[in-house]
Amino acid sequence: MQNYRTKLGRLGDPEIRVNSLKHKREGQGKTAANIKKPRKAEVYYVPLPPKGESTESLETERVALLSEIKKRDNEAVIKAKMERTFSHRRLEIVEQRPMIRDFMNRWPALFKESEVNAEFLRITTKPLQAKFLAQLDNLTDKLMKILEGSKGAKGQKIKDIMAISSLKKGVQEPEDVGVVIEGTTVMNNLGSVIMAFIVLFGLIYALDLSYPNDLKYTFEFCQKILMNLDGQRLSTKMQQMKLKMFA
């Protein structure tokens, strides 16, 4: 296996390249340091570039995208160029870990609802919005019963939140709902809180972000139970949740 990986590295395989010693940051001069690998069931974590393309040609396509996004009714061209530059964009994200503001300047086309859905599909091979909403519809009643039965301080907190939510039924959504990452508003006018959450979930995959510590179980539920991404490996809490939901 080591020989196989060595040969792949010599051929320029991107997943091998990002973990080679010469691509590690200063102070991480060990092969085991800061290993970059799929952690959320990504099928295409660092994909190969399209046949016949190089880093230089894909960078030219990226620059062309900056002009195309300024044109009206140009979704088809943008979609094709985003598809073609997927490997280039993905390697940049995984290898360089750019700041969100800098990445938005380089890849503004990604920060559209349609492209977040497309990027999620490229990474996981699963549709984001359609599957998320369908699964949520299927499981909401069971989930609500479980939450209503929660006890202790956490259970009371859940009941308080649900009581507030019930009082707000029929109230219109806020005028503007968006997503903020690293203090930067990356998307707005998303229509509803649930759509903003779905987009945030998609952006976590698209930008290879870690789940926030205080919401890790929420996102694990979304990933492994709702979306069935790596659904066979669950934390103890999610195992208990799944048993309750599907008992």
Side-chain angles (χ1 to χ4, degrees):
M1 193 65 186
Q2 180 63 39
N3 288 337
Y4 176 67
R5 290 180 64 82
T6 299
K7 289 178 181 178
L8 285 177
R10 289 172 180 168
L11 291 172
D13 184 276
E15 289 204 25
I16 303 297
R17 172 188 162 183
V18 296
N19 288 312
S20 65
L21 282 174
K22 68 179 181 180
H23 286 99
K24 291 187 182 294
R25 295 178 181 177
E26 187 176 347
Q28 296 179 339
K30 296 181 180 179
T31 53
N34 195 26
I35 295 294
K36 298 176 176 67
K37 62 181 179 180
R39 290 183 173 86
K40 299 185 291 294
E42 297 94 338
V43 177
Y44 295 105
Y45 186 60
V46 187
L48 290 167
K51 188 175 181 180
E53 296 286 1
S54 64
T55 300
E56 291 74 20
S57 66
L58 292 175
E59 177 62 13
T60 300
E61 283 284 276
R62 183 196 69 78
V63 174
L65 256 170
L66 297 177
S67 298
E68 296 295 340
I69 199 173
K70 297 175 183 177
K71 300 176 183 177
R72 291 184 178 181
D73 303 319
N74 205 27
E75 286 77 12
V77 173
I78 292 171
K79 182 178 179 180
K81 287 186 178 295
M82 286 293 285
E83 180 73 32
R84 193 156 193 81
T85 55
F86 172 50
S87 63
H88 187 51
R89 181 167 58 257
R90 194 68 187 166
L91 184 61
E92 180 178 328
I93 289 169
V94 173
E95 187 176 56
Q96 299 179 22
R97 302 290 183 193
M99 297 295 290
I100 295 301
R101 190 179 295 277
D102 295 335
F103 190 76
M104 285 184 71
N105 290 333
R106 286 179 55 80
W107 298 97
L110 178 63
F111 297 89
K112 297 170 61 178
E113 196 173 321
S114 59
E115 280 304 324
V116 172
N117 276 278
E119 196 84 342
F120 187 87
L121 183 63
R122 294 177 191 120
I123 294 167
T124 68
T125 73
K126 292 191 177 186
L128 172 59
Q129 185 176 324
K131 185 173 180 65
F132 196 105
L133 290 174
Q135 285 290 85
L136 198 59
D137 285 342
N138 290 335
L139 300 176
T140 292
D141 288 343
K142 293 180 179 178
L143 183 60
M144 292 295 285
K145 288 179 181 178
I146 292 170
L147 293 176
E148 287 170 356
S150 300
K151 298 180 180 179
K154 185 174 290 186
Q156 187 59 52
K157 185 177 181 180
I158 290 171
K159 289 174 183 176
D160 291 342
I161 293 171
M162 292 174 70
I164 293 171
S165 298
S166 65
L167 290 173
K168 290 184 176 180
K169 284 184 178 178
V171 177
Q172 292 183 343
E173 290 279 353
E175 290 185 8
D176 186 10
V177 183
V179 175
V180 177
I181 300 174
E182 292 180 1
T184 298
T185 301
V186 296
M187 293 178 69
N188 54 17
N189 296 320
L190 293 173
S192 67
V193 173
I194 185 60
M195 283 309 306
F197 185 86
I198 293 171
V199 167
L200 173 59
F201 185 71
L203 284 171
I204 285 173
Y205 272 81
L207 302 172
D208 195 32
L209 302 175
S210 300
Y211 295 146
N213 284 333
D214 55 343
L215 291 173
K216 64 180 181 180
Y217 292 117
T218 299
F219 283 106
E220 184 186 356
F221 173 83
C222 294
Q223 175 197 323
K224 298 188 176 183
I225 296 181
L226 275 188
M227 301 298 291
N228 194 26
L229 290 165
D230 202 19
Q232 73 280 5
R233 295 197 302 172
L234 303 173
S235 66
T236 302
K237 285 193 175 184
M238 286 303 105
Q239 288 174 9
Q240 294 170 351
M241 174 69 80
K242 191 171 183 178
L243 285 172
K244 290 177 182 178
M245 294 188 72
F246 298 102

